[in-house]
Amino acid sequence: MRNFTCRVVAAFTLATIALPQLSASEPAIKVTVDPSKAGTKIDRQIFGQFAEHLGSGVYGGIWVGKSSSIPNTRGIRNDVVAALRAIKVPNIRWPGGCFADTYHWRDGIGRTRRARVNTNWGGVVDTNDFGTEEYMDFINQVGADAYLSINVGSGTVQEGADWMEYMTADQPTALAKERAANGHPAPYAVKFMGIGNESWDCGGLMTPDEYTAQMRRFGRFVGSYNPKSPTMKIAVGPGTDDTVWTEAVMKSWKERRGWSFDIQGMSLHSYTVYEGWPPHIPATGFDETGYAHVLRETLKMEPLIQKQVAVMDKYDPEKKIALVVDEWGAWYAPAPGSNPGFLIQQNSQRDAILAALNINIFARHADRVRMSNIAQMINVLQAMILTDGPKMVLTPTYHVFKLYVPFQDATVLPLTYDAGSYVHGDTTLPRLDAIAARDAGGKIWLSLTNLDPHQPLDVNVAALGFGASAATGQTLTAPKIDAVNDFAHPDMVKPKPISATVKEGALTLTLAPESVTVVSLDR
Ligand code: AHR
């Protein structure tokens, strides 16, 4: 247990919300927000999710079947849908991942489904009970947009085109009639479509030239059949800080001509894997070195994005092509005793901090990073939700996504601060990481992360000319850096209201160690 001295909240407090005060030994960090210089919109699509046919990411985590005793709507878990609605999930990428390049959509439509072995993940049988209709029903229940990965690895251009026609055609074509016969006369909207997945590895080990040849064909012939509901096409991008692949994709796009293909996005995959592949460090039971090293590793997302953006800017200075970070998050050793092919791992307060740091990086590059998908949504890697039969638990990462809901489609505000340092052994990290944004209602929102696992951090925030008179907020902290929520203790890590003082327009608050805090300023 840490020892915190109590501090009396000043009499000028206009908005205070319970809870013990902490005391920081270091001087307060001054943060200045300039609301007169609004930046780019933080596209809500950066809070996207990813559900692959992998372990219990779909089967058990989403789909339990219509006859299950677990409360469900047409086979889809009600508890999971409610939890996802609460974080306003904007899009869900499906069916993979590596699985997507082995997926044949006809296996998963109609009354008779074709079971196949999931050759990527654990060699188990995939019944294909969860197919196109069930996915569309699921995202509709959640209120999210569709993001489908098209099979480029083992599929054909015609197979991809037929799938898109089946889903989106708004005229009485044979495939639209087949969709209607399967219960859905109205066309589905497919807002996003990925042209393959990791084609440089599990998607076919292609060279950049081999991939761009596929990208031109799939990008030309596979797309929406409904002009009223277009589909944004996302090419496979790099998975390292190498820019050869990015150069090839962007050059190919730049040189397109005539009545040819187009893309609107390029992906980037970057996991936080400490000490190399295969991922072998534990998700829990780590010490402070494990905490500091993983956070140091995750902060490499910033230079990685900068490097890729520099190449994209060269070919696309108008920023027409979005950088879509459609796989990111922490990847650790499989949970002890679990099937290693199921990528099950626990999720701790370290992961909550990691999630906030990455979202902040995406927000700082909001002009180019307009979409992202954390890997993965349920029971796989850095999940939002863990399930076990009828039980469900929300992870610390889920709570970060909930805290950040007000940042969806808010406008970035520039802010300045001296972050200070948190030093542990050979690792020096910023003590504070922060972003600010204004929502559609004019409220200013701040996200403030204290990376230091020992010291509370005093912060003074001046929002120039805003005339703040009150502040409210919540903080996510934990009794220890590897604290988790599990089925026995589902609320070990959970946001709590935080005390915030506003005096003469300036906000003062104390951030607990290893915490993520989101506060709003009101006039
Ligand atoms: O998210 C797990 C896997 O990681 C995905 O299937 C693949 O795209 C990536 O290598």
Side-chain angles (χ1 to χ4, degrees):
M1 263 317 242
R2 285 182 212 97
N3 277 325
F4 298 129
T5 3
C6 277
R7 199 176 59 137
V8 178
V9 181
F12 301 102
T13 300
L14 295 179
T16 54
I17 326 148
L19 282 203
Q21 287 292 296
L22 310 167
S23 138
S25 54
E26 303 275 331
I29 291 184
K30 292 190 189 326
V31 176
T32 306
V33 182
D34 189 350
S36 70
K37 297 204 181 83
T40 320
K41 186 179 84 169
I42 302 170
D43 197 313
R44 63 186 296 262
Q45 299 295 349
I46 73 160
F47 297 94
Q49 299 287 333
F50 175 28
E52 180 164 11
H53 286 227
L54 193 177
S56 49
V58 170
Y59 295 104
I62 298 170
W63 178 256
V64 288
K66 294 173 189 165
S67 57
S68 172
S69 58
I70 298 171
N72 69 84
T73 301
R74 294 180 293 279
I76 294 162
R77 294 180 75 120
N78 293 344
D79 52 356
V80 162
V81 168
L84 296 174
R85 287 186 72 83
I87 56 171
K88 298 193 187 306
V89 172
N91 75 80
I92 300 171
R93 181 171 181 249
W94 177 82
C98 296
F99 179 82
D101 280 307
T102 61
Y103 184 66
H104 300 287
W105 66 275
R106 281 204 163 277
D107 296 344
I109 60 161
R111 282 176 179 274
T112 311
R113 304 295 171 95
R114 176 175 174 162
R116 282 188 195 263
V117 171
N118 186 333
T119 52
N120 283 289
W121 304 115
V124 293
V125 170
D126 185 327
T127 59
N128 275 306
D129 286 344
F130 189 88
T132 303
E133 262 71 55
E134 292 74 24
Y135 166 75
M136 291 294 183
D137 188 10
F138 171 56
I139 60 165
N140 190 40
Q141 290 185 34
V142 171
D145 292 325
Y147 179 13
L148 292 163
S149 288
I150 300 290
N151 182 344
V152 169
S154 66
T156 63
V157 173
Q158 190 59 53
E159 183 184 5
D162 285 349
W163 193 17
M164 288 299 288
E165 182 182 336
Y166 176 84
M167 290 183 285
T168 65
D170 61 342
Q171 301 194 66
T173 70
L175 284 166
K177 286 181 186 168
E178 191 176 353
R179 181 191 68 226
N182 286 334
H184 209 276
Y188 295 113
V190 178
K191 193 153 181 187
F192 307 104
M193 178 196 111
I195 305 175
N197 172 75
E198 297 193 352
S199 305
W200 30 264
D201 189 10
C202 68
L205 202 60
M206 298 179 202
T207 64
D209 285 348
E210 285 166 348
Y211 178 71
T212 50
Q214 296 298 332
M215 175 182 80
R216 288 189 287 271
R217 295 174 67 233
F218 280 78
R220 165 71 180 89
F221 299 111
V222 185
S224 176
Y225 279 73
N226 182 354
K228 295 193 283 294
S229 178
T231 297
M232 175 173 158
K233 298 177 187 178
I234 299 163
V236 167
T240 64
D241 71 350
D242 189 341
T243 54
V244 174
W245 189 278
T246 310
E247 286 274 354
V249 169
M250 294 304 295
K251 188 165 182 289
S252 186
W253 172 77
K254 184 75 178 172
E255 290 174 351
R256 78 200 185 288
R257 59 179 189 278
W259 196 353
S260 70
F261 81 103
D262 204 356
I263 54 171
Q264 290 76 37
M266 183 193 75
S267 73
L268 171 67
H269 287 187
S270 178
Y271 286 95
T272 300
V273 182
Y274 187 60
E275 289 180 347
W277 291 90
H280 58 276
I281 67 158
T284 56
F286 50 86
D287 58 13
E288 189 173 345
T289 303
Y291 171 81
H293 282 177
V294 164
L295 295 188
R296 184 179 67 190
E297 193 66 22
T298 212
L299 286 170
K300 292 180 183 166
M301 181 65 90
E302 178 105 48
L304 174 62
I305 288 177
Q306 284 166 338
K307 199 167 171 187
Q308 300 301 335
V309 165
V311 177
M312 296 178 82
D313 284 350
K314 195 167 78 175
Y315 294 97
D316 174 29
E318 293 173 309
K319 299 190 188 291
K320 290 183 177 161
I321 308 285
L323 184 60
V324 177
V325 189
D326 59 11
E327 287 189 29
W328 68 274
W331 192 329
Y332 304 121
S338 67
N339 182 333
F342 287 3
L343 309 186
I344 297 168
Q345 63 189 40
Q346 246 300 359
N347 193 298
S348 73
Q349 180 67 5
R350 174 175 68 180
D351 298 306
I353 305 272
L354 183 154
L357 295 176
N358 279 279
I359 295 168
N360 292 356
I361 293 168
F362 301 153
R364 287 188 200 106
H365 294 277
D367 58 346
R368 184 67 87 175
V369 179
R370 300 197 286 269
M371 185 162 163
S372 97
N373 301 76
I374 189 167
Q376 297 193 7
M377 190 165 67
I378 303 167
N379 295 330
V380 177
L381 300 177
Q382 191 175 344
M384 305 291 114
I385 295 173
L386 303 175
T387 65
D388 180 12
K391 291 180 272 187
M392 179 187 86
V393 73
L394 306 174
T395 66
T397 301
Y398 173 91
H399 290 303
V400 171
F401 274 67
K402 182 117 186 263
L403 287 175
Y404 271 79
V405 164
F407 288 89
Q408 294 198 8
D409 283 343
T411 306
V412 176
L413 296 175
L415 78 177
T416 52
Y417 58 93
D418 176 349
S421 328
Y422 150 58
V423 182
H424 176 74
D426 62 353
T427 307
T428 302
L429 298 171
R431 285 186 79 203
L432 175 68
D433 195 81
I435 58 164
R438 181 177 22 228
D439 70 15
K443 239 184 212 182
I444 292 181
W445 291 88
L446 288 150
S447 172
L448 304 156
T449 295
N450 178 8
L451 283 76
D452 192 320
H454 300 294
Q455 297 299 322
L457 174 57
D458 283 341
V459 179
N460 293 328
V461 183
L464 302 175
F466 183 71
S469 67
T472 49
Q474 288 198 296
T475 191
L476 185 72
T477 187
K480 52 187 188 129
I481 45 183
D482 68 340
V484 301
N485 292 334
D486 58 25
F487 298 108
H489 313 93
D491 291 330
M492 185 61 76
V493 184
K494 195 179 166 182
K496 299 176 183 68
I498 187 172
S499 298
T501 305
V502 179
K503 186 182 166 192
E504 293 167 5
L507 166 75
T508 303
L509 75 172
T510 301
L511 309 176
E514 69 210 12
S515 63
V516 180
T517 300
V518 170
V519 284
S520 68
L521 293 178
D522 299 295
R523 280 193 247 257

